[in-house]
Amino acid sequence: MTAGPSPPTSAAPATSLPRPFAIVAEFSNVDGVMTAAEQIRDLGFEVWDVHSPFPIHGINKSMGLRPTILPWIALVHGGIGALLGLLLVGWTNATTFPGVPTPFQGYEYLVSGKPRFSLAANIPIIFETAVLLAAFGTVLGLFGLNKQPMLSNPLLKSTRFLRATADGFFVVIEAEDPRFDPVENRALLESLGAIHIEVVTD
């Protein structure tokens, strides 16, 4: 008995190309990266950033950055902390409700004829709870606004980008930007004077 023709082999699965994460452009000096930032801001890019080895005076204005909402987050949490502190001292020192279990009952003692609740006497506790919650809110808000924790950043795959902590000035346009297009963005960054451009994959 002879063997029949062998079945056709299935085609090899197509390899998926790595997804671009961002396009990174390096500039030679501060003036170059600031001029590029102003142009990118005026063109309406939304998800992009500037990286430099030191703070650049005026870069926030060049990038069109709005003031952070972090102070408002701290203020709201501080207000909540003050309110909770006020309720805490009021509940523990000046309240007795019939029917409430003893572990949750306040201690309403009259001491030397003083009022059971005095705002002035409890300001230190209210202040401390306000500071405590404001601190927690600030730290958590900072993490949230900066999308932390990010255990791995694809930008670190670029050995050239590591110079951002030494002597490199970079503009990074992320793929999440509505105007992200590797070809068009590369042409734009070249016209702005970038000395090196690369697409970093995810």
Side-chain angles (χ1 to χ4, degrees), residues 2 5-6 26 44 57 60 67 73 75 81 85-86 92 97 107 113 124 129-130 138 142 158 172 174 176 187 194 200:
T2 58
S6 60
E26 181 182 0
H57 180 70
N60 288 355
I73 294 176
L75 177 63
L86 181 64
T92 56
F97 292 107
Y107 296 90
T129 54
T138 302
L142 189 64
S158 169
V172 176
E174 296 189 15
E176 296 179 2
V200 177

Side-chain angles (χ1 to χ4, degrees), residues 37 40-41 45-50 63 171-174 177:
I40 292 172
R41 175 201 63 193
F45 284 86
E46 299 176 3
V47 187
W48 62 285
D49 205 350
V50 171
M63 295 178 64
V171 169
V172 176
I173 301 175
E174 296 189 15
D177 192 290

Side-chain angles (χ1 to χ4, degrees), residues 4 20 25 31 48 118 141 161:
D31 293 337
W48 62 285
S118 171
F161 180 75

Side-chain angles (χ1 to χ4, degrees), residues 31-43:
D31 293 337
V33 78
M34 287 194 71
T35 302
E38 292 170 356
Q39 294 293 325
I40 292 172
R41 175 201 63 193
D42 294 341
L43 289 172

Side-chain angles (χ1 to χ4, degrees), residues 70-115:
L70 191 60
W72 291 103
I73 294 176
L75 177 63
V76 170
H77 283 79
I80 294 174
L83 180 61
L84 291 177
L86 181 64
L87 294 175
L88 174 67
V89 294
W91 176 263
T92 56
N93 295 331
T95 58
T96 299
F97 292 107
V100 176
T102 302
F104 302 103
Q105 194 65 269
Y107 296 90
E108 189 179 3
Y109 292 125
L110 185 62
V111 180
S112 301
K114 297 178 181 177

Side-chain angles (χ1 to χ4, degrees), residues 32-197:
V33 78
M34 287 194 71
T35 302
E38 292 170 356
Q39 294 293 325
I40 292 172
R41 175 201 63 193
D42 294 341
L43 289 172
F45 284 86
E46 299 176 3
V47 187
W48 62 285
D49 205 350
V50 171
H51 298 263
S52 65
F54 50 80
I56 301 176
H57 180 70
I59 192 64
N60 288 355
K61 182 178 179 181
S62 297
M63 295 178 64
L65 294 180
R66 293 171 293 183
T68 175
I69 63 170
L70 191 60
W72 291 103
I73 294 176
L75 177 63
V76 170
H77 283 79
I80 294 174
L83 180 61
L84 291 177
L86 181 64
L87 294 175
L88 174 67
V89 294
W91 176 263
T92 56
N93 295 331
T95 58
T96 299
F97 292 107
V100 176
T102 302
F104 302 103
Q105 194 65 269
Y107 296 90
E108 189 179 3
Y109 292 125
L110 185 62
V111 180
S112 301
K114 297 178 181 177
R116 289 185 171 84
F117 180 79
S118 171
L119 180 62
N122 293 307
I123 281 180
I125 296 176
I126 297 172
F127 173 76
E128 293 296 339
T129 54
V131 171
L132 178 65
L133 261 72
F136 277 118
T138 302
V139 172
L140 295 177
L142 189 64
F143 273 76
L145 293 175
N146 288 288
K147 302 178 182 177
Q148 297 297 325
M150 180 183 286
L151 303 179
S152 175
N153 192 327
L155 289 177
L156 299 180
K157 296 178 181 176
S158 169
T159 55
R160 198 158 182 127
F161 180 75
L162 299 181
R163 294 176 55 197
T165 60
D167 58 354
F169 304 91
F170 295 87
V171 169
V172 176
I173 301 175
E174 296 189 15
E176 296 179 2
D177 192 290
R179 301 198 59 178
F180 179 81
D181 184 288
V183 177
E184 294 183 1
N185 294 161
R186 176 182 289 274
L188 169 65
L189 293 167
E190 286 177 346
S191 69
L192 295 176
I195 59 176
H196 181 268
I197 300 173

